[in-house]
Amino acid sequence: MTQLQTPKASRNQDTGRLSFMGSSMVAAPDTSTRGSVVNTSALLSPSSATPGTFTSVPTPSFTSTHVRDRTRKGNAEGSRRTPVRRTPSRRAAAPLATAATAALLLCGPLAAAPAHAADQPGGSTDAVKPPARMSTVGGKRLGRPGTQVDPKAGAPALPKELSGKSWVVADAESGDVLAAHNAHWQLPPASTLKMLFADTLLPKMPKTKTHKVQLSDLDGMGEGSSLVGVKENYTYSVHDLWLGVFLRSGNDAVHVLAAMNGGVPATVKEMQAHAEYLNARDTHVVTPDGYDEKGQVSSAYDLTLFARSGLQKADFREYCSTATAQFPGTFEKDKKGKKTRSSFGIQNTNRLLTGLGVEPYKGIAGVKNGNTTNAGATFTGVAQRGNRVLLVTVMNPQEKEVNEVYKETARLFDWGFKAADSVNPIGTLVRPGAAGANHPSAGGKEDHKHAQASVSTDSGGSGGVWTAVGITGGSLVLLGALAFGVHRRWPLPELVRRRSRD
């Protein structure tokens, strides 16, 4: 059943799902299907997948107390789901659309050619204009409206086909912001806010911990929410739930994890505190899942900070780079009458990773997408070419072609890898803590060098010792007490390594 755009349901551009394909992660030796991740061969070899097969996803039952009463639309970018019911009901598992239907979803009328981003900030003449003055965290130029780039002689031009209201291209290791467009414009973040949720909670719960879901755990989810299929009175591991968060953007999994963390209000408070620690000053957290809510905003700059911080956690890297996995289902009786726990396949909604409707991006390793009515499409991605690792965030493309946020992200990745050595940084991704936000603004080359030097030599701050880790053969720098000090390499999935070599 297609998620429709109704007064109380979100527009959903990420509803399609291909036949069950292998994951980017290799399964750990475990006979259980709970949260297991299948091998990558099917995903790397499309011909090995069975065409036209779709895994059914159970629809959880809810009472009216589980749903926030809304007059606007919420997020449902995770998967094709029936809208959350407001009356008690129990529904049998319903199959997703057929492959033909999924193909139709990917076809749409071609819109008019988008304007050059530098000519029309936001990519549309009728788009709301960004504030004349925005935050200057990370550099004075990052606070200016419009496109900011400082090319050297011979530098490649930015792509013309950019319509995002806001975007950032940054070097994940050095923190250099290579180019940006309305970097600090406060906009609804949709489910990209789940990066902050994960970065805040992941260290608090061991992945082996289990929890039996109570009815109250699912209270407060917005109508039209994306769901992975969590059911009350069933037990899930923390690992299961994080797979639901990262792959299907499941608000049900988010709410269960929040309940395990002391509840939604406590979790929102912790997320806000963590955002402030990361110097993500454009972010105001109202919900843990990114559902449209009055006053809930972030920025392309802040989302990039969240991704950079999260990617320094091994579990975060694993989850955000996993293409497909198995999620626990219901108990079913076999022919002998014995009850066993079933499972069903889930696929990541990051289309640059899975290749649903767009070409998989070479070297992609995550991070998170989102889509709500207020936010439009949002996406933060990380990719590696050679020894260079880039982060790109795009918020709300005004060009309404299907998968536009992924296409614009890919264009910015391509430009960034070509231009990285031929542009002067126009800002920097600041490090956590008070000292990180108070270094001199990186408004030009001299300011930028000064700012980076102050970060490199500062061993103070309240953040403790943060260390650098690598992704896809490169390395990300954790900006903390030992900024740019230690480099450690962490292997990423074979999927990423193979795509990097293609």
Side-chain angles (χ1 to χ4, degrees):
M1 178 176 180
T2 302
Q3 176 67 52
L4 300 176
Q5 183 173 352
T6 64
K8 292 188 178 181
S10 164
R11 175 185 50 178
N12 178 0
Q13 292 185 5
D14 281 328
T15 54
R17 190 147 70 116
L18 293 177
S19 58
F20 189 79
M21 298 191 300
S23 170
S24 65
M25 300 299 298
V26 178
D30 188 354
T31 57
S32 170
T33 60
R34 299 188 62 229
S36 63
V37 183
V38 294
N39 66 55
T40 182
S41 58
L43 183 56
L44 295 173
S45 304
S47 61
S48 64
T50 304
T53 58
F54 288 81
T55 307
S56 300
V57 180
T59 302
S61 59
F62 297 96
T63 63
S64 59
T65 59
H66 295 142
V67 183
R68 290 194 296 257
D69 190 10
R70 302 289 182 182
T71 58
R72 64 193 160 275
K73 303 165 189 178
N75 64 342
E77 78 288 352
S79 57
R80 183 183 306 279
R81 296 283 184 266
T82 55
V84 177
R85 300 291 178 179
R86 304 187 63 182
T87 55
S89 65
R90 291 192 175 272
R91 301 172 59 88
L96 297 179
T98 62
T101 303
L104 290 174
L105 286 173
L106 300 178
C107 300
L110 294 178
H116 194 295
D119 297 332
Q120 297 183 15
S124 174
T125 55
D126 59 358
V128 176
K129 293 183 178 180
R133 295 172 64 96
M134 293 176 282
S135 168
T136 58
V137 170
K140 293 178 181 178
R141 291 192 65 170
L142 296 178
R144 299 175 187 173
T147 300
Q148 306 299 319
V149 64
D150 185 10
K152 301 176 184 177
L158 281 164
K160 292 184 178 181
E161 299 85 1
L162 297 175
S163 68
K165 284 188 173 183
S166 176
W167 51 260
V168 165
V169 182
D171 187 298
E173 183 176 49
S174 69
D176 290 345
V177 178
L178 307 181
H181 182 76
N182 303 324
H184 283 290
W185 193 357
Q186 292 179 296
L187 297 167
S191 283
T192 46
L193 192 66
K194 289 183 173 80
M195 293 187 295
L196 175 62
F197 174 77
D199 194 37
T200 304
L201 265 63
L202 264 172
K204 301 183 66 176
M205 303 178 193
K207 63 170 62 177
T208 56
K209 182 178 180 179
T210 60
H211 177 75
K212 185 175 181 179
V213 176
Q214 306 298 315
L215 287 171
S216 58
D217 295 345
L218 300 171
D219 284 349
M221 283 194 299
E223 291 194 26
S225 284
S226 51
L227 307 173
V228 66
V230 172
K231 296 179 70 68
E232 63 271 19
N233 298 322
Y234 278 79
T235 298
Y236 301 85
S237 70
V238 167
H239 178 67
D240 297 332
L241 295 169
W242 281 122
L243 285 171
V245 171
F246 277 90
L247 272 67
R248 300 311 298 166
S249 204
N251 289 3
D252 45 358
V254 169
H255 277 255
V256 172
L257 286 166
M260 295 172 66
N261 188 54
V264 167
T267 299
V268 167
K269 185 176 180 180
E270 289 182 29
M271 289 171 65
Q272 187 66 56
H274 190 54
E276 292 170 3
Y277 170 70
L278 295 176
N279 291 309
R281 304 298 174 83
D282 302 321
T283 298
H284 181 233
V285 183
V286 180
T287 69
D289 50 28
Y291 191 95
D292 283 340
E293 182 65 271
K294 183 177 180 180
Q296 180 149 276
V297 292
S298 190
S299 67
Y301 183 87
D302 284 10
L303 293 174
T304 307
L305 290 181
F306 300 153
R308 195 186 191 203
S309 179
L311 285 164
Q312 291 151 66
K313 298 173 175 62
D315 288 346
F316 189 105
R317 293 195 305 276
E318 175 190 341
Y319 293 129
C320 78
S321 62
T322 298
T324 61
Q326 289 291 112
F327 193 81
T330 59
F331 283 97
E332 298 176 357
K333 289 184 178 181
D334 59 20
K335 294 180 179 179
K336 296 181 180 180
K338 182 180 179 180
K339 283 188 176 182
T340 58
R341 186 90 180 257
S342 65
S343 65
F344 54 90
I346 57 176
Q347 180 169 295
N348 202 311
T349 56
N350 174 356
R351 297 186 176 202
L352 289 184
L353 182 68
T354 62
L356 176 59
V358 293
E359 189 72 19
Y361 195 81
K362 296 178 182 179
I364 193 73
V367 175
K368 188 72 186 77
N369 62 309
N371 195 331
T372 69
T373 298
N374 290 350
T378 60
F379 181 66
T380 296
V382 64
Q384 183 257 344
R385 295 274 178 90
N387 292 322
R388 176 100 46 195
V389 183
L390 296 183
L391 284 162
V392 172
T393 296
V394 176
M395 300 186 76
N396 201 350
Q398 298 302 286
E399 174 62 68
K400 298 307 179 185
E401 186 176 342
V402 174
N403 296 323
E404 184 66 20
V405 73
Y406 302 105
K407 296 174 183 178
E408 295 191 16
T409 298
R411 292 171 194 141
L412 287 170
F413 269 131
D414 287 344
W415 174 85
F417 286 121
K418 293 177 182 177
D421 294 322
S422 57
V423 296
N424 297 310
I426 50 93
T428 188
L429 300 177
V430 297
R431 67 181 179 88
N438 294 332
H439 68 68
S441 297
K445 286 191 290 183
E446 293 306 315
D447 281 345
H448 182 76
K449 290 177 181 177
H450 190 151
Q452 292 289 21
S454 69
V455 172
S456 299
T457 58
D458 182 7
S459 60
S462 60
V465 177
W466 289 42
T467 56
V469 296
I471 66 170
T472 61
S475 57
L476 283 174
V477 175
L478 279 176
L479 301 180
L482 295 182
F484 307 116
V486 181
H487 293 262
R488 295 179 183 173
R489 292 180 180 272
W490 291 83
L492 261 244
E494 178 63 17
L495 168 67
V496 178
R497 293 197 294 275
R498 291 187 186 182
R499 285 180 180 168
S500 297
R501 294 194 295 264
D502 288 343

